[in-house]
Amino acid sequence: ELMELALALGQKWDDKTTRRVLAELDDDSNGLVPKETFLDWYLAGKMNEVSVSEESEDDEKKMEKMSRAQCESFFQMVDTNGDSRMDVGEFKNFVDQLGLDWDDGKCDKVFKRLDSDQSGLLTFQQFYAWYSSTADLDFGPTLKEATMLQFQLNKGADDARKIFVRGFPPRAGPDVAEKYFGRAGEIEEIKCINLRNNSSTGRMIVTYKTEDCVGYALEMHRFKMGNRSVLEVYRVNRGDLEEVHEVPRSMHGALIGIRGSNVQRMQKESGAKIFFEAEPKEIMIIKGTGKERSKAWSMAQAIMQQNQCDSHKVHADLHGRLIGAKGNVKIAMESESGAHIVYRKTPIGICLVYGTQEARERAWQLIQEKMWEIEHDSETKYNLDQKYHGMLTG
């Protein structure tokens, strides 16, 4: 961000120069610079005094660091409860996984310094600001060296064959996991990510023998694992995360589209995976990289802006049969049209149809067809002497 700000102010800094300036301004070594501090520095004319460093190939090699996407993936791996926050226990487990020789005192000291708002929880933004701006540590490997080593051991094509899993039943062992995820294809290795005491967290890295298997495995995302747990499946080192948007259920049909046409188009064009839930909250879940999620949400917003409501007179006596047993008729119409249908028993009876113009037109066509069917499916009774019954039955 500092590099982008400098560029906007007419200064083209390289990575080394930017981090040198950041180190100068970052008084508390947490990787962040308050706006007021930068403004005072800038108004004092200090920016014009900055000279761009000349880096050798050796300097660039030493300064190589984990990308933001890799960093997000690693942060996600140690976020045991999936709340996008890291407490001090998770932080210590994170340090152990990196192979850093830190005792509890060192962990507590570093964590406290990173926890700039003193909430007891570390956000990814707080961690990344620190990671991307400081080497830290006065003994042993630096955090950057440790994390780079962790990723470079299997860096490259192998990442395309890996998935990160969270929410798998902790009591189920690797054998169960292999059988479960083996449905997507042949597995090469499963690496469980456990706590310090070696107890299971339900998190693991699954490596398949071919890349094609990953696509099938990603379809398992949001699968229910028992009454409480929800399975989460992400790509490795891609910044593959999910974001949740509150979207009223009345909009779900429009976003899904006729026979799923809209959601399929959004997924194809954006590369993201999209899910909808109506309970306990009415939400839309978008999973993918930052660019994929942003593209999918923009497309969803465009569809919702087109979403309108048509009102039609439909006699209240017909509502029950138009809804069907357990709502099966209404659900079938909504699934085929992509619209959301609501019946209200006003004095005259009305039907409200929500969705895009195409979805609303198709839904009303289905409703009219069903009303015609109901109208011509009525019965009339005629008096007929019993002696003719047998002859007519045949």
Side-chain angles (χ1 to χ4, degrees):
E1 290 173 335
L2 181 59
M3 188 181 292
E4 292 176 359
L5 178 57
L7 186 61
L9 294 172
Q11 300 288 335
K12 189 174 181 179
W13 293 348
D14 55 27
D15 185 73
K16 186 175 181 179
T17 301
T18 306
R19 289 196 289 131
R20 177 161 49 82
V21 173
L22 183 59
E24 178 185 341
L25 297 174
D26 183 15
D27 295 330
D28 54 5
S29 299
N30 68 351
L32 300 172
V33 178
K35 179 176 66 176
E36 295 77 11
T37 301
F38 177 82
L39 187 59
D40 291 343
W41 178 84
Y42 177 76
L43 293 176
K46 297 293 185 181
M47 176 171 276
N48 295 328
E49 300 176 6
V50 176
S51 60
V52 178
S53 306
E54 295 184 2
E55 297 186 42
S56 66
E57 292 183 4
D58 289 339
D59 289 334
E60 292 178 358
K61 187 175 181 180
K62 288 178 183 177
M63 291 169 58
E64 184 182 11
K65 59 182 182 294
M66 191 166 55
S67 69
R68 185 183 180 93
Q70 288 176 319
C71 209
E72 283 183 323
S73 294
F74 208 80
F75 187 88
Q76 188 181 50
M77 290 178 195
V78 295
D79 178 19
T80 308
N81 57 11
D83 63 354
S84 298
R85 301 287 189 275
M86 187 188 295
D87 60 29
V88 68
E90 290 171 329
F91 183 71
K92 290 177 180 178
N93 187 50
F94 167 70
V95 167
D96 285 347
Q97 288 183 38
L98 292 180
L100 299 176
D101 187 18
W102 289 13
D103 57 21
D104 286 347
K106 180 67 178 180
C107 288
D108 292 336
K109 183 180 178 181
V110 174
F111 185 88
K112 186 176 181 180
R113 177 155 55 81
L114 295 183
D115 183 18
S116 54
D117 56 3
Q118 304 301 309
S119 65
L121 295 170
L122 190 64
T123 66
F124 172 73
Q125 287 73 20
Q126 288 171 320
F127 167 74
Y128 190 68
W130 169 61
Y131 166 78
S132 60
S133 63
T134 181
D136 215 290
L137 287 188
D138 48 9
F139 60 90
T142 67
L143 181 65
K144 287 178 187 166
E145 290 170 344
T147 48
M148 283 306 300
L149 179 62
Q150 185 79 9
F151 278 97
Q152 286 178 340
L153 289 175
N154 295 296
K155 188 178 179 181
D158 284 353
D159 287 345
R161 298 189 287 111
K162 294 179 179 180
I163 58 171
F164 167 61
V165 176
R166 182 165 58 195
F168 198 73
R171 294 183 179 179
D175 292 342
V176 177
E178 183 170 5
K179 184 177 180 180
Y180 186 86
F181 292 104
R183 295 182 295 175
E186 194 172 355
I187 294 174
E188 181 177 293
E189 180 188 23
I190 293 181
K191 181 182 178 182
C192 296
I193 303 173
N194 297 330
L195 297 175
R196 279 186 167 189
N197 60 7
N198 206 35
S199 60
S200 175
T201 62
R203 295 171 297 137
M204 61 191 71
I205 301 289
V206 179
T207 304
Y208 287 97
K209 289 196 172 181
T210 62
E211 295 181 21
D212 295 341
C213 304
V214 171
Y216 295 113
L218 291 173
E219 298 295 332
M220 300 179 186
H221 187 73
R222 306 299 299 182
F223 276 18
K224 299 291 184 182
M225 305 297 289
N227 296 328
R228 298 181 180 179
S229 180
V230 176
L231 188 67
E232 298 179 50
V233 183
Y234 302 94
R235 291 167 291 185
V236 171
N237 291 349
R238 292 283 301 276
D240 197 14
L241 302 169
E242 70 173 29
E243 60 185 46
V244 178
H245 299 275
E246 292 189 8
V247 175
R249 186 178 179 277
S250 58
M251 293 283 190
H252 289 189
L255 289 168
I256 293 171
I258 299 174
R259 300 185 185 278
S261 57
N262 285 344
V263 72
Q264 289 172 13
R265 178 172 59 85
M266 286 191 288
Q267 291 185 143
K268 183 177 180 179
E269 293 186 19
S270 69
K273 295 290 184 181
I274 300 172
F275 309 85
F276 297 92
E277 291 184 2
E279 294 180 357
K281 292 184 178 180
E282 298 175 353
I283 57 175
M284 175 183 181
I285 303 165
I286 306 175
K287 187 176 82 70
T289 64
K291 289 183 179 179
E292 291 171 345
R293 299 193 306 269
S294 177
K295 174 68 173 177
W297 179 235
S298 296
M299 295 178 71
Q301 287 178 306
I303 292 174
M304 288 190 287
Q305 287 175 357
Q306 300 172 13
N307 190 71
Q308 297 180 13
C309 176
D310 291 340
S311 178
H312 303 276
K313 293 181 181 178
V314 176
H315 199 283
D317 290 346
L318 298 175
H319 289 186
R321 298 184 69 177
L322 288 170
I323 294 172
K326 297 183 179 180
N328 61 339
V329 175
K330 175 175 171 290
I331 291 171
M333 290 182 182
E334 290 179 331
S335 177
E336 183 170 341
S337 67
H340 179 56
I341 304 170
V342 177
Y343 296 99
R344 291 184 179 169
K345 292 186 177 181
T346 61
I348 58 173
I350 61 171
C351 171
L352 302 176
V353 183
Y354 298 87
T356 62
Q357 181 176 348
E358 182 185 15
R360 298 194 310 272
E361 289 176 353
R362 178 56 179 153
W364 180 235
Q365 179 185 7
L366 293 170
I367 293 169
Q368 288 178 304
E369 290 174 357
K370 186 63 179 177
M371 288 194 296
W372 187 91
E373 180 184 319
I374 293 172
E375 182 181 348
H376 291 79
D377 192 33
S378 57
E379 63 177 27
T380 303
K381 294 183 179 180
Y382 296 92
N383 293 323
L384 183 66
D385 195 301
Q386 187 175 358
K387 64 182 179 181
Y388 297 114
H389 291 190
M391 179 181 67
L392 291 171
T393 301

